[in-house]
């Protein structure tokens, strides 16, 4: 018999991991809900016609495709096979697994446009699948937690995203994070300033490599991408702009206002950023930590306004959260002009950060709080009502199911890191005084059956 | 542009549905946790070698199979195609979507056998996929919520499942349900009694059709299945036994004990049932409603001891929960002799029952509790701190993001069934007295900004 294995790039989440993951999911969900985002779930499968062409050629390749059910090969010809995988695929597969939560959300909005109350605020926490080469921190199945508002271009939405980011990371216990914010209009202003209007895309892709490849190679790349020598004359000034994020937000805005004074779109972007920060302050959130970073350009082809990115400090890992404003979410499905803004939290990376920095609260991974150990069948008659009362008091409690050696039952408690054990033998049955053992300290008390629940409740909450 | 659609047999769950579904998931999860079942999640994809052959031929057909990524057709020959879908599948697909939670659980237990503390209690709440023909109440993607204990044959586990079933349905508000219980050993005893030992499988399949096809056709089917005329002589007595479930449990047990007095295995089954019911009573659960039904035989090929089934009364829908004891969960993966018992709750059917009987608590589907309506930008400066305080008090609150006509904002509140609206205009900004409107009654109060949160909190809890 072959030993069973997992498909590569996938994972089981055992009890301790799951409890910690549930802590993360619950924390994010609570924040989304308090901010009045509404839950949505879409199917794991979408028609390939919904998914294809939305993520670029590479994305199309990384979609997991589902073989048509039934006799899918019935009408295949030799030619279909000879023409190779790409042409064969649509003949044998019409569905794929979702690649992100954004395209299914767009599809949902378009299909339900007449029933939805706009502005529509939704959150969605579901797995996505990508046929990527698995490597450390990159999986073929992973969760995304997205919140989006569509149907309004109010900057209040940007402000609320900044507030939600702070609330989520503070509630998770990740105090040390960097939230970077930018606006595509500022990038457009910079491109205008150097005489390359509309070229903010290639410009930011090249500048993004500065740390890795150095100034000369960045210049080479910009030349290759068609930037004129004239536009590169002031490259040092440009690079100075791009290192502004080290300054505090007010300074950055002052410098940008000066440098981009001739760019209308640039001023627009600066104005949006300013208003967003003002709204955050009016909410009463004084200690928001926001870095304005004019280089930030995640998924630029997609975003049209604000751009967000969050990194956890002290851990070598990519961004743990990101998002921005877009104007074209639903245009691929025939519904243009719907503006929206969203944020996505990466649960798997957040888990890795919290694990590495030891930030999970002690009880986040905890399972059973009390194990009842009956020495014999008679002891069970005393044990069962206690078990019931413990659960009624919302204590996670179990009774060892078999009548066996006490050592074996205590080993079970230790292996599961159960903090309290209630031992019930014939003496306990006679006297009604139960033995409660603290498995951490080894302390043992005799407590009457009618007081044991109150004792455990207060001990578990201590 | 083509209008986007959903793959057949799949569904979106919009906000109101999702909130109700989350109510069901949370209720089930809380019970599982209180009973010290531990969370587990397995990947959506499993190797086909893990899934194939576990659900019968029909099951193999109903598995959704995933096309290998990359150039999957590179080595295909004309012959591969000519031989048809069944032989072609393994050449182009090595993974499938999980069909239930049981096989992945068995695979997990075998892969982690050395690390797991036995007995191992786990729960799992995840979607499963079946390429079934979609019809009312049958979907291609649906959730299962399973709890299992493996590594013990203690009847305490059966008792706990009975208790969990009661707790879950009571907490959901489904008071009127029927829990049927049987034991394979009783069915085996009945087969022995009529001189067809070991034939409890075909016997119960045929008897199960009694209501639909009548006595004569049941007899025909039993003859076809090889039952001798001698074994069918006492068919009326047999059918009498099979209608016992109308009696109360003690009566049923007394009659069974008498009828099966010559069957050792039958007596064993009766003994197990008795002990299970005794444990439920010792827990202090007097009003357990349990019907002993000697015809109950769900998935008999699989179960070896107790068999459970729950139906909601007053709704035409199949069972909403079911399970039983098995001895061979992990033997397909080379780990024989592991006894376990489990229960599965069908969230989709439970939803339909609660919806039809109008059992969702009024707040289960509720979203935003308060909408703040600022008349102008200045009003926002008063509104934002109030918004913050409401959320800190765990109230789901939002502010209308755009400055627009008051009517439009109130329409939004009505469409989303928001119970309270706080209106802030220039008068409110000057006086500091905010207008709070109860959208149900139409009542409107003036309340000072520093008291409005306390007012809303108490109103929302009322």
């Amino acid at each position: 018999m072959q030993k069973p294995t997992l498909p590569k790039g996938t994972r089981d989440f055992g009890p301790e991991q799951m409890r910690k993951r549930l802590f993360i999911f619950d924390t994010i969900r609570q924040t989304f809900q308090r901010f009045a985002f509404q839950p949505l779930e879409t199917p794991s499968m979408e028609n390939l016609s919904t998914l294809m062409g939305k993520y670029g050629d590479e994305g199309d390749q990384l979609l997991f495709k589902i073989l048509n059910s039934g006799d899918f090969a019935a009408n295949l010809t030799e030619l279909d096979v000879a023409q190779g995988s790409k042409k064969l695929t649509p003949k044998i597969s019409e569905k794929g697994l979702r690649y992100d939560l954004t395209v299914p959300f767009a599809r949902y909005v378009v299909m339900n446009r007449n029933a939805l109350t706009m502005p529509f605020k939704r959150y969605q926490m579901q797995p996505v699948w990508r046929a990527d080469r698995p490597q450390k921190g990159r999986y073929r199945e992973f969760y995304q937690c997205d919140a989006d508002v569509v149907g309004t271009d109010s900057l209040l939405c940007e402000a609320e995203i900044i507030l939600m980011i702070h609330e989520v990371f503070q509630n998770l216990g990740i105090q040390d994070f960097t939230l970077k914010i930018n606006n595509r209009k500022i990038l457009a202003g910079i491109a205008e300033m150097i005489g390359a209007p509309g070229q903010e895309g290639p410009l930011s892709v090249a500048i993004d490599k500065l740390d890795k490849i150095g100034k000369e190679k960045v210049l080479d790349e910009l030349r290759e991408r068609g930037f004129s020598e004239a536009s590169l004359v002031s490259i040092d000034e440009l690079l100075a702009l791009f290192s502004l994020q080290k300054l505090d937000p007010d300074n950055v805005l002052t410098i940008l206002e000066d440098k981009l004074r001739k760019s209308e779109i640039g001023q627009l972007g600066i104005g949006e950023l300013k208003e967003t920060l003002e709204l955050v302050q009016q909410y009463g959130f004084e200690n928001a930590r926001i870095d304005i970073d004019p280089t930030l350009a995640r998924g630029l082809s997609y975003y049209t306004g604000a751009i967000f990115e969050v990194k956890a400090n002290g851990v070598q890992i990519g961004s743990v959260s990101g998002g921005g404003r877009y104007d074209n979410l639903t245009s691929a499905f025939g519904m243009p002009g719907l503006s929206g803004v969203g944020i996505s939290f990466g649960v798997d990376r957040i888990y890795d950060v919290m694990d590495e920095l030891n930030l999970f609260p002690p009880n986040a991974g905890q399972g059973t709080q009390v194990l009842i150990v009956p020495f014999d069948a008679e002891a069970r008659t005393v044990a069962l009502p206690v078990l019931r009362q413990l659960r009624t008091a919302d204590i996670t409690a179990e009774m060892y199911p078999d009548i066996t050696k006490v050592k074996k039952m205590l080993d079970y408690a230790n292996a599961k890191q159960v903090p309290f054990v209630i031992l019930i033998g014939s003496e306990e049955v006679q006297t009604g005084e139960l033995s409660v053992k603290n498995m951490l300290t080894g302390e043992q008390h005799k407590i009457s059956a009618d007081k044991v629940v109150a004792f455990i409740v207060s001990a578990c909450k201590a």
Side-chain angles (χ1 to χ4, degrees), chain A:
Chain A
M1 180 138 348
Q2 223 188 326
K3 276 200 173 172
T5 59
L6 277 176
K8 64 179 177 178
T10 70
R11 299 161 289 170
D12 287 322
F13 298 108
E16 201 187 328
Q17 261 178 305
M18 266 307 293
R19 282 189 288 256
K20 289 176 176 171
R21 285 172 68 86
L22 287 171
F23 172 75
I24 297 173
F25 284 121
D26 287 347
T27 301
I28 295 174
R29 186 187 294 277
Q30 278 161 19
T31 294
F32 285 168
Q33 284 187 334
R34 260 195 295 270
F35 277 75
F37 285 78
Q38 308 191 82
L40 173 72
E41 280 190 12
T42 62
S44 304
M45 304 171 187
E46 295 277 354
N47 292 320
L48 282 178
S49 55
T50 299
L51 300 174
M52 297 284 279
K54 307 300 188 301
Y55 309 104
D57 281 351
E58 204 207 7
D60 285 351
Q61 299 253 329
L62 297 184
L63 289 170
F64 277 110
K65 295 162 191 97
I66 294 163
L67 205 52
N68 292 342
S69 33
D71 190 8
F72 64 89
N75 299 315
L76 285 186
T77 64
E78 291 168 25
L79 187 66
D80 290 327
V81 176
Q83 285 185 323
S85 299
K86 203 168 174 182
K87 292 210 166 164
L88 181 55
T89 302
K91 300 204 161 88
I92 58 176
S93 168
E94 59 187 24
K95 291 185 292 290
L97 294 178
R98 79 178 152 247
Y99 182 88
D100 69 4
L101 303 179
T102 307
V103 167
F105 172 51
R107 196 250 325 125
Y108 174 82
V109 169
V110 173
M111 281 177 67
N112 296 277
R113 57 203 299 176
N114 296 322
L116 291 181
T117 306
M118 292 287 174
F120 180 58
K121 300 168 82 171
R122 86 86 174 80
Y123 75 84
Q124 197 168 347
M125 304 169 65
Q126 292 189 279
V128 300
W129 296 268
R130 297 183 185 177
D132 238 326
R133 189 178 298 277
Q135 58 184 60
K136 188 178 177 297
R138 193 197 283 165
Y139 303 100
R140 293 185 147 193
E141 175 179 50
F142 58 97
Y143 267 81
Q144 291 190 335
C145 298
D146 286 16
D148 290 82
V149 201
V150 292
T152 170
D153 56 8
S154 166
L155 294 168
L156 180 69
C157 305
E158 275 83 344
E160 294 225 300
I161 282 174
I162 290 173
L163 293 165
M164 286 206 296
I165 288 169
H166 280 84
E167 186 168 314
V168 164
F169 287 107
Q170 276 171 9
N171 290 351
L172 288 173
I174 302 177
Q175 301 292 341
D176 193 11
F177 64 88
T178 301
L179 162 57
K180 288 183 175 184
I181 177 169
N182 194 18
N183 192 301
R184 190 200 173 107
K185 295 178 180 120
I186 290 176
L187 280 163
I190 292 173
E192 266 189 25
M193 183 191 90
I194 65 166
Q199 295 305 302
E200 64 268 24
L203 180 66
S204 56
V205 167
I207 299 279
D208 197 38
K209 297 181 185 161
L210 188 64
D211 284 348
K212 278 191 205 147
I213 63 177
K215 178 176 149 185
E216 285 311 315
K217 289 204 168 153
V218 166
L219 282 172
D220 287 348
E221 182 167 335
L222 285 171
R223 281 186 198 103
E224 256 171 59
R225 286 173 180 271
F227 282 74
S228 70
E229 288 304 321
S231 74
L232 299 176
V233 163
S234 53
I235 187 74
D236 285 318
E237 197 179 352
L238 187 66
L239 295 180
L241 262 190
F242 277 118
S243 62
L244 279 181
Q245 78 265 32
K246 273 110 200 170
L247 301 178
D248 78 64
D250 287 344
N251 277 335
V252 181
L253 287 171
T254 309
I255 295 168
L256 282 175
E257 271 184 327
D258 177 49
K259 295 284 176 192
L260 302 184
R261 62 189 175 277
K262 289 178 189 159
S263 164
E264 201 177 321
I265 193 164
Q267 292 298 327
L268 218 57
I270 295 166
E272 287 185 11
L273 257 182
K274 273 184 150 174
E275 189 181 333
T276 303
L277 298 183
E278 219 169 84
L279 287 166
V280 169
Q281 211 168 30
Q282 284 172 5
Y283 191 78
F285 208 76
E286 303 285 351
N287 55 348
R289 277 171 308 162
I290 302 162
D291 290 349
I292 295 174
D293 179 357
T295 67
L296 184 67
R298 317 168 45 97
L300 193 57
S301 61
Y302 184 67
Y303 295 127
T304 54
I307 303 168
F308 308 102
E309 184 174 86
V310 184
K311 286 190 174 164
N313 299 327
V315 186
Q316 284 298 325
I317 207 167
S319 63
V320 289
S321 180
R325 179 171 286 280
Y326 42 81
D327 285 335
N328 304 308
L329 180 75
T330 51
S331 53
F333 298 116
M335 189 180 169
L338 190 74
S339 189
V341 57
I343 188 75
S344 182
F345 291 90
V347 168
D348 297 83
R349 283 196 181 161
I350 289 173
Y351 182 99
D352 289 346
V353 166
M354 293 183 67
D355 208 39
E356 192 170 327
L357 299 179
N358 210 6
L359 293 178
F360 284 106
N363 61 352
Q366 195 186 45
T368 302
Q369 294 169 289
V370 182
L371 175 73
I372 303 187
V373 164
F375 293 3
D376 50 35
E378 202 201 349
R380 283 179 166 182
T381 61
V382 174
L384 281 165
V386 174
L387 185 60
R388 184 186 188 187
Q389 290 165 47
L390 285 166
R391 288 174 179 159
T392 304
D394 215 16
I395 298 288
T396 298
E398 61 181 312
M399 179 159 101
Y400 196 87
D402 302 299
I403 306 296
T404 182
K405 287 180 188 142
V406 176
K407 184 181 176 305
K408 192 175 172 188
M409 300 195 263
L410 292 177
D411 285 348
Y412 176 86
N414 279 323
K416 290 184 77 176
Q417 299 184 283
V418 178
F420 294 97
V421 168
I422 302 179
L423 300 130
I424 309 181
S426 55
E427 192 192 314
E428 282 80 6
V429 172
Q430 274 181 11
T431 62
E433 300 273 307
L434 312 185
S435 298
V436 179
K437 184 168 182 172
N438 181 323
M439 296 298 281
L440 267 177
T441 64
E443 271 181 293
Q444 196 162 319
H445 296 280
K446 290 270 186 189
I447 300 174
S448 68
D450 58 333
K451 291 195 178 126
V452 75
V453 175
F455 174 84
I456 294 283
V457 168
S458 72
C460 282
K461 284 185 180 147

